[in-house]
Amino acid sequence: MSIEWKDSYKIGDPDVDEQHAHLFDLTNQFIAADSLGAMRGLMILLYKHTREHFEKEEQLMRSVNFPDLTQHQEHHTQLLCRLSELSMDVGKGYMNKPAIVGLMTDWATKHIPLEDALVVAHMDKSTGH
């Protein structure tokens, strides 16, 4: 099992698109990992990169006056809280790989093409594309 990055997921900001693609890559590395040590390391990277990515994406949304910024931030906060909870479990020696894979797959295949697409539509509308 793996999740596939698609060009249709691009939002038009090269930095954000690169971060999205990297999160897909990290998620796929996590899916493929078969040792607790590898999964722990990837979990740390996933959380750190996701947090940094959300900060960048929210900065972009502010710069284009995205009207649903507060709601989008709430989705980010929910995902980070859940990822943090799962990370803490990993730190305690409990690896719920299916929950982590499910969370990241759901985010990658639903949040990006559905929620982030709204940012694209707003950017297109404001620039007249």
Side-chain angles (χ1 to χ4, degrees):
M1 176 191 163
S2 67
I3 55 173
E4 179 187 356
W5 170 254
K6 300 175 183 176
D7 282 345
S8 63
Y9 294 162
K10 290 182 178 179
I11 72 163
D13 181 275
D15 291 337
V16 171
D17 290 336
E18 183 180 317
Q19 290 174 349
H20 280 160
H22 186 60
L23 282 166
F24 271 69
D25 182 51
L26 286 173
T27 300
N28 284 327
Q29 287 179 49
F30 184 84
I31 291 168
D34 58 2
S35 76
L36 189 57
M39 287 186 273
R40 276 190 179 141
L42 286 163
M43 192 69 200
I44 291 166
L45 288 174
L46 270 170
Y47 180 81
K48 182 180 180 223
H49 191 74
T50 300
R51 190 186 72 240
E52 291 169 358
H53 164 66
F54 286 167
E55 289 171 6
K56 173 71 176 163
E57 192 175 273
E58 290 168 10
Q59 180 183 26
L60 172 67
M61 287 186 273
R62 280 190 290 281
S63 75
V64 297
N65 296 316
F66 182 63
D68 295 323
L69 173 62
T70 303
Q71 182 180 5
H72 202 108
Q73 284 175 310
E74 181 58 32
H75 292 161
H76 286 173
T77 299
Q78 289 170 3
L79 183 116
L80 275 178
C81 285
R82 184 69 182 124
L83 199 54
S84 178
E85 290 168 4
L86 292 166
S87 293
M88 289 205 210
D89 286 346
V90 171
K92 296 173 189 168
Y94 175 67
M95 176 63 66
N96 188 345
K97 187 174 183 178
I100 297 164
V101 169
L103 177 68
M104 294 309 294
T105 301
D106 189 60
W107 170 80
T109 60
K110 293 183 181 155
H111 179 84
I112 291 175
L114 301 176
E115 300 296 325
D116 290 350
L118 298 174
V119 178
V120 176
H122 174 75
M123 288 169 40
D124 287 348
K125 189 171 73 174
S126 13
T127 59
H129 288 106

